[in-house]
Amino acid sequence: MPEYDDDWDVPEDRDDPENEEDILEDEDVPDEEEILEEDILEEEEIPDEEEIPDQGNTLGEEHTPDGEKKKKLTWKTVLLALVVFAIVGSLVQVVARGGFGGALNTTGGGGGGAPKKEHHSRQEQEIRPPKQPKTIKLGNQRVPQASGPIIVINPGLVTPGGSAAVEGGGFDKKATVDILLKARKTDTKGRAIGSVRSDRFGSIYARFTMPETAGNRPATLVAQQRGSSKAAEAKVITGGAVGTAKINKMVGRPGDVVTVTARGFRPGEPIDVFWGRTTGIPVTTLHTDSSGGVGQAAIKVGVAPTGSSTLVLVGKRSKTTATAPFQMLAMYPSMKSKPYALKAGQRITLSANKFAPGERVLVYINSTGGLPAFTAQANGMGQIRDVAFNVPFGLKGRQTLMAIGDQSRAVVRSGFTVLPYTPSAEPSAFGGRAGTTLSFYVAGFAPGETVDAYAGSGSKGQRKIGTFQVDSRGKASAVGSYKITKADESGVSFQLIGQKSGGVARASINMSQGRGG
């Protein structure tokens, strides 16, 4: 836009003697602001043309030879035109730069920070596939061997345009983590909805708004650390309409039967039933009638944390959600073992009840860390019936059993006692001269185990004389052949030790001095 000097220069007027007075007045022309505030206002007070008396050429008119009047350009006319042109030009520039304070800007390229944020939210960003962690087997499941990045959405059910929080950990400290949203789990690009900086523990917390365009379909939220392969995902369930649900009982435990009624769903729609959550495998699935309702449906109370909980119904097609409050009571399972005392290798039987119906029960021995000793499946009544196992060799004395519900996390403790093996041995002869051969008759060892026989006593004087195996009753006859030496005529002791049970049988032979040959 052209710029104008404060000194207005109109050569035509300066050369005209009739305008000498006007030219002199031009030196006192006020600046642009005074013109805007005073001269323009004065223009509004100019009387109509009919009211102006004809006093010669007061408006700068001159007569043409044919008698017509011709208007002549004056400095006020030029000045007014230039001022109007300057104002219009300034307005055009303001609009071209994005409007007043960015209010008219729809491109996100200017006018403050809010449009830029909106532009950022429409960008798509590449999603790097997360590094798959090594896993170990826990019962019938595989779990990550080490903790990595993990995020959760709270609440996990978000309506389009609603607000929720993403929180998690396992990232590098003070790292920038981008928050992305993808419509399908298989998408390789996600919509950038913000970023957050992790704290000194590698944890993140940020609030986000679910885009209105997300609709009622589930989406996947991705937290991806910049410049790193560390990433975590969490499923976001979006709900549209809200239905109603009622329960005939407000208090109960997992496995109790309650009656549910619901309204506000689509006709003939399947409805997933959850307790205290909105993701994972539903407890059961109901179906609405022609009016979109469910009347008097009997369902079992599912597993949820003790205390205030919620029954959640989610329509599979409409994503309509209905909730009802419920007070979840604590579970107190019991367990007993039979027999109470036994030896290693013998069979023990466990029974338990009051776990969650159908849940897997993890059984630990003397510890609750690592993998369970074995697992059992509760029946529809939450019972475990006659689960048996052989007591492993190596256990001695009092043992502790811990049973933990895999879903309910209900815990019960019990125990049993491992008795020691006390075998016996008897030599085939209690005395004899050098050269006499002995054997042994043994009993009380573990069934089928191998037994080592030693002669002498002490760590230095003891020597191995043979190895034999007992039968399924822990017995053996005429085993461990040994020839008496000259040194043994004064007496020798024997030890027979079971390799599995650790049981020790002792025997000895004593001779009178001088009977040797």
Side-chain angles (χ1 to χ4, degrees):
M1 178 178 171
E3 297 180 356
Y4 299 94
D5 298 331
D6 293 334
D7 296 329
W8 304 92
D9 188 10
V10 185
E12 297 87 346
D13 292 342
R14 292 184 185 274
D15 296 337
D16 191 344
E18 294 180 3
N19 296 318
E20 290 181 358
E21 182 178 354
D22 293 338
I23 293 171
L24 293 175
E25 294 175 0
D26 187 43
E27 297 177 356
D28 299 327
V29 175
D31 53 27
E32 186 175 349
E33 294 182 359
E34 295 177 354
I35 292 172
L36 288 175
E37 296 178 0
E38 299 178 6
D39 291 356
I40 296 178
L41 293 175
E42 290 177 5
E43 182 187 18
E44 296 176 355
E45 299 174 0
I46 297 176
D48 296 336
E49 187 175 354
E50 296 179 356
E51 299 176 0
I52 300 176
D54 189 6
Q55 297 179 357
N57 195 14
T58 55
L59 291 177
E61 297 178 349
E62 62 180 1
H63 293 276
T64 60
D66 55 4
E68 294 180 357
K69 293 183 180 179
K70 181 179 180 181
K71 291 186 179 180
K72 186 178 181 181
L73 186 67
T74 65
W75 72 269
K76 288 188 176 182
T77 305
V78 174
L79 181 61
L80 182 60
L82 292 176
V83 170
V84 173
F85 181 76
I87 294 173
V88 173
S90 300
L91 292 175
V92 171
Q93 279 191 339
V94 170
V95 174
R97 286 194 301 265
F100 298 96
L104 301 180
N105 184 15
T106 59
T107 64
K116 291 182 180 179
K117 183 177 180 181
E118 181 65 26
H119 177 66
H120 174 73
S121 66
R122 291 196 297 266
Q123 291 179 345
E124 285 195 345
Q125 186 172 328
E126 200 77 25
I127 296 178
R128 298 183 298 273
K131 184 178 180 181
Q132 296 300 322
K134 294 182 179 179
T135 61
I136 59 174
K137 195 170 184 181
L138 175 61
N140 297 326
Q141 303 290 333
R142 299 200 70 86
V143 298
Q145 187 176 18
S147 178
I150 186 172
I151 59 172
V152 293
I153 309 300
N154 188 17
L157 183 64
V158 188
T159 58
S163 177
V166 53
E167 53 185 302
F171 299 94
D172 294 339
K173 64 178 181 180
K174 304 298 182 182
T176 300
V177 179
D178 295 318
I179 308 300
L180 312 172
L181 189 69
K182 58 181 182 179
R184 292 175 294 274
K185 191 172 181 63
T186 57
D187 287 349
T188 58
K189 289 187 177 181
R191 181 177 180 180
I193 60 175
S195 62
V196 64
R197 194 170 181 84
S198 62
D199 61 17
R200 60 192 181 97
F201 302 106
S203 300
I204 62 171
Y205 178 89
R207 298 200 66 82
F208 69 94
T209 300
M210 193 68 180
E212 295 281 357
T213 56
N216 293 328
R217 296 183 301 274
T220 300
L221 196 75
V222 180
Q224 180 171 274
Q225 181 176 319
R226 290 185 189 175
S228 171
S229 61
K230 292 187 175 182
E233 295 183 354
K235 193 173 183 181
V236 184
I237 304 297
T238 57
V242 177
T244 59
K246 293 182 180 179
I247 315 177
N248 66 327
K249 290 169 57 178
M250 304 296 293
V251 179
R253 291 183 175 88
D256 292 350
V257 177
V258 297
T259 301
V260 178
T261 58
R263 294 288 182 270
F265 295 86
R266 289 183 183 178
E269 178 180 24
I271 300 176
D272 288 336
V273 180
F274 301 92
W275 289 90
R277 56 187 173 85
T278 58
T279 58
I281 300 175
V283 174
T284 186
T285 300
L286 306 177
H287 290 81
T288 60
D289 54 24
S290 59
S291 65
V294 175
Q296 303 297 315
I299 63 173
K300 285 187 177 182
V301 176
V303 177
T306 302
S308 298
S309 188
T310 307
L311 170 69
V312 183
L313 308 180
V314 181
K316 280 192 173 181
R317 293 198 296 267
S318 65
K319 299 305 176 186
T320 298
T321 303
T323 61
F326 190 81
Q327 187 72 21
M328 194 70 67
L329 299 178
M331 302 179 66
Y332 300 100
S334 61
M335 180 174 62
K336 63 179 180 179
S337 59
K338 184 180 179 181
Y340 177 77
L342 71 169
K343 295 178 181 180
Q346 295 180 344
R347 202 160 185 81
I348 186 171
T349 302
L350 300 180
S351 298
N353 58 14
K354 295 185 180 179
F355 282 99
E359 78 169 328
R360 189 175 61 155
V361 179
L362 311 178
V363 181
Y364 297 85
I365 298 177
N366 297 328
S367 174
T368 56
L371 297 176
F374 62 92
T375 63
Q377 195 76 26
N379 60 19
M381 302 296 293
Q383 299 171 334
I384 298 175
R385 293 287 184 87
D386 300 332
V387 175
F389 67 97
N390 292 328
V391 176
F393 287 94
L395 295 182
K396 298 178 181 180
R398 176 68 179 172
Q399 310 297 316
T400 301
L401 284 173
M402 298 285 291
I404 303 176
D406 195 20
Q407 292 179 324
S408 65
R409 309 312 295 177
V411 179
V412 61
R413 186 179 65 175
S414 182
F416 61 96
T417 299
V418 178
L419 301 174
Y421 278 86
T422 56
S424 61
E426 183 177 329
S428 59
F430 291 96
R433 294 185 179 185
T436 303
T437 301
L438 297 177
S439 60
F440 300 93
Y441 296 84
V442 298
F445 285 97
E449 76 171 324
T450 300
V451 178
D452 295 324
Y454 298 88
S457 59
S459 59
K460 293 183 179 180
Q462 194 175 62
R463 60 192 183 277
K464 188 173 183 179
I465 61 174
T467 300
F468 58 90
Q469 188 173 20
V470 298
D471 60 18
S472 60
R473 299 175 298 170
K475 295 182 177 181
S477 299
V479 292
S481 178
Y482 177 71
K483 184 179 288 188
I484 299 173
T485 66
K486 187 71 174 178
D488 296 331
E489 291 182 351
S490 60
V492 62
S493 62
F494 301 94
Q495 283 190 342
L496 292 84
I497 304 174
Q499 290 185 357
K500 288 195 304 183
S501 66
V504 179
R506 291 180 171 85
S508 62
I509 58 173
N510 298 309
M511 296 175 145
S512 299
Q513 188 70 24
R515 290 187 59 185

